[in-house]
Structures are given as C-alpha cells and as structure tokens.
Amino acid sequence: MPSFSKPFTPPSSVLIIGSGVFGLATALSLCRRDAFKDCSITVIDRSDPSQPGAYPAPDAASVDTNRIIRADYADPDYAALCDEAQAEWRKQEKPTDLGAQGRYNEVGLLLVADALSSTPTGAQECQDGHKPKLTGMDYVRESWANVTRLASKDPTLAARIKELPNPNAIRDALGTGGSSGDWGYLNLNSGWGNAGASMQWHYEKAQQTGRIKFVAGTVVSLEHNDTTVTGARLSDGTVLSADLVVVAAGAWTGGLVDLSGQAAATGQAVAYIDLTEEEQQKLSKMPVILNLTTGLFIFPPVNRVLKVARHAYGYLNPTIPVHPPLPLRPSSIPSSAPVSLPFTSANDPNLEIPAEGAADLRRALREMIPWPDLRDRPFTKTRICWYSDTPTGDFIVDYHPYWKGLFVATGDSGHAFKFLPVIGEKVADCIMGQCPPQFKEKWAWKVKDESQIMPALSVVTEDGSRGGVAGLILVEELAKSTTG
C-alpha cells in the first residue's frame, strides 16, 4: 500500500477490471487528470462495448431502464453525495447532457415504511460494531430529516417535499388507488434514471477521450508475485499486466479477491409486466414508490412495461471458484471456502426468479396498484439483479492493505448507480490518497487481520433499507419453485 506522506506518484499503467459504475466512471476520471496524462488506462469486461447491444452486459447490475435516483438516505454523507450527483443528472438543456433524452426523469419518490418496524433499535449494532442497526421506519424518518435539511437552501426544492402521515395520505400521493406503509413522505426532487442508456452515454464519453483501451474478456484470476499484484489472467490464458490493478467487478469481485466478512453477492428479485396503452397513460404520472420495511418498490412504466422489484437481503449462491480468490495476505493459504457469486441468465438462459420472490412481487403489485386486470396478469419476464453487499451498506474503495499494486472499488450494496456522475472522481481521489474525509472510514478496507475474517456467506446488510428474509440460498429456493 503506498505511503501518502510523500506526494502521490502516478503509475505508468492502470488495469481496471469491470466496466460498470465504479470501473467506467473511474477510468473516465483518471484519464481527465493531469497526474495520469502519461498513464495508459485499460478497462476489461465480459461484455464488448464495441458490439451493438452488448454493453452493458445483459446480466450486469446497471442495465435496463430504471434505477432510483435519490438523495433520500438515512446517512447524511450519502445524502449529500447524491445531492451533488443530482445537480449533474438535472442537466438536460442539451442532448449531450447526462440527464437529457430520458436518461433522468424527476417524477418523485414516495418513501414509506410500516409502523410495526418503528420500535427504536439503536442498541443493536451492525456486524462491524459501528453503525446502529436501523429499522425501515428509522431509515425513512432519518432520510426525511436529511432531505429537508438539504432542500432548505432552496425554497423551490423545499416546497417539493411533503410529509405523508398516514396510509390515506400515501394513497392520495401515489394516485393508483393503492397504498403501502403507515408513514412516509413524497420527494419530488427524486426520480429514476435509465441505467442502460446512462452507461452507454458514459462509455461514449470515455471513447471520445481516446485515452482508454477497452478489452473484452473474462478475468479468472489476478497475477502476482510474492508481494505485488501485477495483472490479470483471462479465461483464454491471456495475461494483462499493469502497475496498478483496480478490481471493480461488482458482485463478481469476491471471486477474484477474498472479501470474506466484507462483501457478498446477493441476488434480488425483479419482474416486468406488459401494460396496455391506456394503463400506461394512467400510471405515467405516478412517482416511484419504495417501502423500506418490505423492500418492495415499483417504477412508473416505460414503453408499456411496468417494473416491480425488491430491495431485500437477497439470495446467496454459495460457489467454490475454480480459481481461488487472492488471499488476504501474500503468506496466507488461498481459501477453499464457498463464496457467494452471481448465477445469471448467462449461466442458465431459462433462469427465472424463485416462487418466493415472485409471490412477494405479486404482493407489491396488488398492494400498490390494486387493479383487477393486473392482479394475476403473468409477468412478461423476470431477472435476478446481483448486488455486492457489505454489512453496513457502505462501499469498499481502498488500496488492499497487504498486496501492493491492488486497489478495490466495489460493495455497491444495491445503491451505487445514482452516484454515476460523481463516483469516478471520488474513486480517483482515493487512488491519489485524497479520500473525502467523511468517507475515509466508511469506504476503508475493514478486515486487517485473519482473526477478523468471517465466513464469506455471513454478510448481511443491516442499514435499515432491506426487506425479506436473510440467508435464502438461491438453489434451494429454485428447487422449491420446481417442486412447489
């Protein structure tokens, strides 16, 4: 790990593994910095962005049309960071602006929770022993305080936030005839972004720099000598070398670097349902609705397709990697323990979400949009969206403490996309030893000693934003679906 008591010395070459939110945004930020003007920057990903329709990868997290863009956080630092990002999302005057051409839609966010979860839980703690364990209602109330404080600097923004003290008020704000939760608020300063189009926009910006080399391939392991990570080996045997390797592989990161106790891949249930043109028009003005007790949420429809999803503890997929991940220390024996890694449509083209998840999404639909014609309409398709979850929901953006030449940017915890306009700059700051002070502890590598290592499958995100049941095993739930 470099010493930052001396001026930062940029590497002559950087290899970034992954071209999702962290990877692509970081590459773009690095190539714009004078410190890296003589540095070669290579990005490698399973998808080939030069091929039409291949980028983002269809089973990646930041794909399809809808992702929530919100400063609605219980944590004031993330709320402020998204407030910064939203200033960029709102730029829509020119077609080339990020938020233009439907890439950002400020339709409002209805954030609610159930009263049964409102019992104070401050005495409980997350797995890292630092943050208090919040309930869904705790999260919504603290988020309300943060967004109203942020909006107080602008009367126009402040007027667009409204408390909803009961289910009837929530029903009126939603406008579908349905409701969810017992208390919440409507923030018309939030909305949703088109993930696939926004990632493509960033790729085009990266291409325009002429500085970034994109390589299509699957990384199976990190190359290293006794003390230093020197590059990456691809599935075809090719080795790419660099002075600095940045692993930003999202939910796949744990297959390359041992993140035991720090992060685990969790699969989230998502479903889509086709609408008629009349239904599209009736729902086009609804806000995004998210219940942080159940984790269930629904977006306004796009092109006559309605998306229903769940922000939950998620499904685990215990896997023993063919190539063991890089161990914690150069002297450590590579782990042979199972790691939760994504299982997607790339592994099984016929993959559907488990019956348990489908039933919960159906419950959301019947509660939030209780229309008889929609009640039992089949889902057009379903998918499992994979998060890289951390115990507290904080990102991991830090140099590896024991391997030289290795930087890790992962732990999206299902909420990184909204920061796309600004996260690359923050990661670049961290690479240069200038991590924003408010995130220095939150984004730090947490496990510094073998005695701190927890089982790879023990990670449960307890930031108050998750619903459902913790510890569900994907293969077991799929088996129930087929025998059910």
Side-chain angles (χ1 to χ4, degrees), residues 1 36 46 54 64 149 210 264 281 287 321 380 410 456:
M1 183 173 177
F36 289 82
R46 297 172 297 126
D64 84 18
R149 176 182 51 79
Q281 292 303 315
T380 310
T410 191

Side-chain angles (χ1 to χ4, degrees), residues 35 41 69 72 103 113 145 158 161 186 192 223 231 271 301 320 328 367 376 411-412:
I41 300 171
I69 307 294
D72 303 81
R103 287 183 287 269
I161 304 175
L186 175 65
W192 61 271
E223 292 287 291
I320 298 178
L328 179 63
E367 179 182 71
D376 298 309
D412 61 89

